[in-house]
Structures are given as structure tokens and as C-alpha cells.
Amino acid sequence: MLNRRHLRIKALQTLYAFYQAETKDIQGFEKSLLQSVAKVNEAYLTVLNLTIEVAQYSIVDAQERASKYIPTEEDLNASTRIAENKLIKLLQTFPSYTEEVKKLKIDFSNDQEVIRTLFKDFCATPEYKAYCTEAEHTMSVDREILIFFVKKLLPQSVLFEQMMEDRFINWPIDKESVISMMVKTLKEFGDTKQKLAPISANWLDDREFMMDLFKLTIRNNGEYQDYISSKTQNWDPERIAYMDTILMKMAICELLNFNEIPVKVTINEYIDLSKEFSTPKSKVFINGILDKILIDLKAEKKIRKVGRGLVE
């Protein structure tokens, strides 16, 4: 699921695109921001559908092996047990899942080699072999083999990574969230609880946080730039990474407008983001400038946090 860090990243990416654009169509970029979140859900459904397709491929594989000119005994007795996986069966007929897959037109007709290779790799694992030979299959056992496939096998597949990167431009960033949504589904979905993983723990609140962070950073751009400029007078503007400026504007926005988020959390979050999205020296630079700006904001009594201990 998406957490606040991922939502900050989504807002950061869209702000960067907005500031670089010649036409400042705020509503258009707001729509783009929401679409970037929708793409995470689409990627989740894609991986879920792929998992089911790989399980179903066991039937195709068994038929192909049995039809060899001189099949071995092993070929004639190839297991299709994964296709009968209880969880797979439930998911296949779950209306919310099937309707979304149809609506999004998720299809692997051009990626059959990915499915075939994943299945072959799956078959070669000791975990899969043990699963196929177990005398009795409980729902728990059926869950565990699918979780193994998603957590252990998929991340090791170069073909899978290439396919997802071709389909989803932000896959390297969204991958962690998608896998966590998959694992949550495989752990919790069952006869009595049939629900796909939500995009976040509380999407209404998280959506408001993400959209407000984006809009308020733009709305107060001049004010936030003034704070930054006052603390970087001895710096050559051309030496300040553009991404650093956006990160600091977002941090100032969060300090001033999101009363429930502790100051230290905000500062640390944007320092961490600088490590991933900016230069090697950015974390030290951003930390120093934000510390100086924070002193001014406190002196001006603009930091208003709700709850004991949130300011320090």
C-alpha cells in the first residue's frame, strides 16, 4: 500500500513536471497526480492477474509435455496442482477483480514468454516441488506458495522487471507498494473476507494530504522561495540543484500547513527523499537550510502543531 512517503514522492514528481512545463495547467497536473496513483493500483492488478496466469499455465505445460513424441513418465504426470490452488480459484471468480481486469484491459497475449519463463523458474524451486507432492492442500498451504512466488521469485525475474517497466514508467518506485498490496491480498483474501487490497490505509485522508501538499506548494511558491533565498544568499543559484529547491518548498509547506505531522518527521522525510532523488551532497545542504528556516518560522510563531511534543 501507499504510505505517506510514497505520496510525497508522487507529489514531488508532479511538482517537478509542473515547474518544468511551459503551460502551468494546475488542474491538468492535479489529474496527472491522481492518475499516477491509479497506475499503482493498475500495476497491483497486473501482478495479481499475472500470478493467476502463471498458475493456469501449469495446465498448458502439462498438455505440451504429454503430447511429446516420446514423453517420459514425468512428462505424463506433470502436476497441475497449482491451477487448483484454492486461493487462485476464489480470486478468479471474484467480481471486483474480474471487472477491474476487464475495464483496464490487462492482457498478456504479447507476454507469453514471461509467463512461460516464470512458470519454469517456479517449477524448479524446492518450494514448488514440495507443494506439488504434499498429500493435503489447506488454504494456508495454498497461500504460502503464492506468497513465495510473489515475494521471492518475481523480484528475481529479469523478464518480469522488464515487462513491468515497459508497462509502468514508475515501476521502480511503485514496486515496493505493489508487492506489499499483493502480499496483503494473498494473506487475507478468503471465503469469509473477499476484498482486494486498498491503495492506502485511509485513502480519503491520504488523498487530501497528497493533493493539498501539491496545491499549497504551488500556491505559496513565492513565499517559500523567499525563505529559501534568504538562507542561500552566499550560494550561487546555479549550484543549487533544482530538485533541492522543490524538496525544501515541500518541506516548508508541510511544516506550515500540516499540523498533525511532527516537525522532525517532516525534516527527516525530505532529507531521505533527497538521498534518492537529488545529489549526494543534497542531504547535508537541505538539512542545514531547513534548520535555519525552521528557526525563523518558530520565531514568527508560524509553526502550529496539534499534540504534545510535535514541534520539537
Side-chain angles (χ1 to χ4, degrees):
M1 294 188 295
L2 293 177
N3 55 33
R4 287 293 172 95
R5 180 179 185 277
H6 295 116
L7 297 174
R8 289 182 179 95
I9 291 173
K10 293 297 181 188
L12 171 65
Q13 291 175 313
T14 309
L15 281 166
Y16 185 85
F18 173 83
Y19 285 126
Q20 294 289 324
E22 292 184 7
T23 304
K24 308 298 185 184
D25 178 9
I26 295 180
Q27 289 186 337
F29 279 96
E30 287 178 5
K31 183 178 179 181
S32 176
L33 178 53
L34 290 171
Q35 286 175 340
S36 72
V37 173
K39 278 294 181 181
V40 177
N41 193 60
E42 183 179 340
Y44 155 65
L45 290 166
T46 298
V47 177
L48 184 55
N49 189 225
L50 177 70
T51 302
I52 293 172
E53 289 289 325
V54 170
Q56 290 300 302
Y57 188 81
S58 64
I59 298 173
V60 176
D61 178 73
Q63 291 171 344
E64 289 179 348
R65 292 175 65 178
S67 62
K68 287 181 179 180
Y69 182 65
I70 305 178
T72 64
E73 183 178 350
E74 186 178 353
D75 289 331
L76 294 172
N77 293 285
S79 175
T80 59
R81 198 158 196 175
I82 191 70
E84 299 301 318
N85 182 288
K86 294 180 177 66
L87 192 50
I88 291 289
K89 290 292 187 183
L90 285 175
L91 286 165
Q92 278 181 308
T93 57
F94 182 50
S96 295
Y97 160 74
T98 55
E99 289 166 10
E100 284 295 305
V101 168
K102 183 177 180 180
K103 182 176 75 174
L104 294 169
K105 299 180 181 178
I106 297 172
D107 178 71
F108 297 101
S109 57
N110 295 324
D111 292 298
Q112 286 300 300
E113 182 59 23
V114 177
I115 292 173
R116 189 191 73 82
T117 301
L118 282 171
F119 178 73
K120 295 296 185 183
D121 291 344
F122 198 14
C123 287
T125 64
E127 287 81 0
Y128 182 83
K129 292 175 181 177
Y131 173 80
C132 290
T133 56
E134 282 197 28
E136 183 180 357
H137 279 194
T138 63
M139 178 64 86
S140 177
V141 171
D142 282 351
R143 288 186 197 282
E144 288 304 315
I145 192 63
L146 296 179
I147 291 172
F148 165 79
F149 174 78
V150 169
K151 290 182 69 175
K152 302 297 183 182
L153 201 70
L154 284 184
Q156 297 177 6
S157 171
V158 175
L159 281 180
F160 168 71
E161 289 293 320
Q162 289 175 343
M163 181 193 74
M164 294 303 289
E165 287 179 8
D166 287 344
R167 293 184 179 216
F168 302 99
I169 190 171
N170 288 319
W171 174 247
I173 294 170
D174 296 339
K175 174 168 57 176
E176 180 183 342
S177 296
V178 170
I179 296 301
S180 73
M181 291 169 72
M182 276 295 301
V183 172
K184 181 177 177 63
T185 301
L186 297 176
K187 284 183 175 180
E188 298 181 0
F189 199 94
D191 291 310
T192 58
K193 183 178 181 181
Q194 297 195 353
K195 186 178 180 182
L196 297 176
I199 194 67
S200 77
N202 188 332
W203 175 234
L204 289 179
D205 287 348
D206 288 339
R207 182 187 188 280
E208 182 179 16
F209 166 77
M210 181 182 71
M211 299 304 292
D212 284 351
L213 181 60
F214 173 74
K215 289 185 287 188
L216 291 172
T217 299
I218 294 173
R219 184 181 303 166
N220 300 296
N221 181 70
E223 177 188 350
Y224 300 162
Q225 182 60 56
D226 288 343
Y227 277 116
I228 295 169
S229 297
S230 70
K231 304 305 176 186
T232 56
Q233 294 175 351
N234 296 327
W235 287 77
D236 180 353
E238 293 185 359
R239 291 186 58 203
I240 301 175
Y242 192 57
M243 185 63 78
D244 290 356
T245 300
I246 298 176
L247 286 166
M248 288 188 288
K249 287 177 181 177
M250 291 176 69
I252 295 168
C253 178
E254 199 167 301
L255 289 169
L256 293 175
N257 298 287
F258 296 87
N259 299 338
E260 76 285 0
I261 302 176
V263 167
K264 285 184 178 180
V265 170
T266 294
I267 300 295
N268 289 337
E269 284 287 346
Y270 288 98
I271 290 172
D272 282 344
L273 289 180
S274 73
K275 298 175 186 176
E276 184 173 352
F277 295 97
S278 200
T279 71
K281 296 181 179 180
S282 291
K283 62 179 181 180
V284 175
F285 174 69
I286 289 176
N287 188 30
I289 300 302
L290 287 180
D291 278 348
K292 293 176 182 178
I293 291 173
L294 181 59
I295 291 172
D296 287 354
L297 294 177
K298 287 180 179 179
E300 296 167 4
K301 299 187 184 303
K302 290 186 175 181
I303 302 292
R304 300 183 180 90
K305 296 296 180 180
V306 178
R308 181 181 297 177
L310 292 190
V311 175
E312 296 298 331

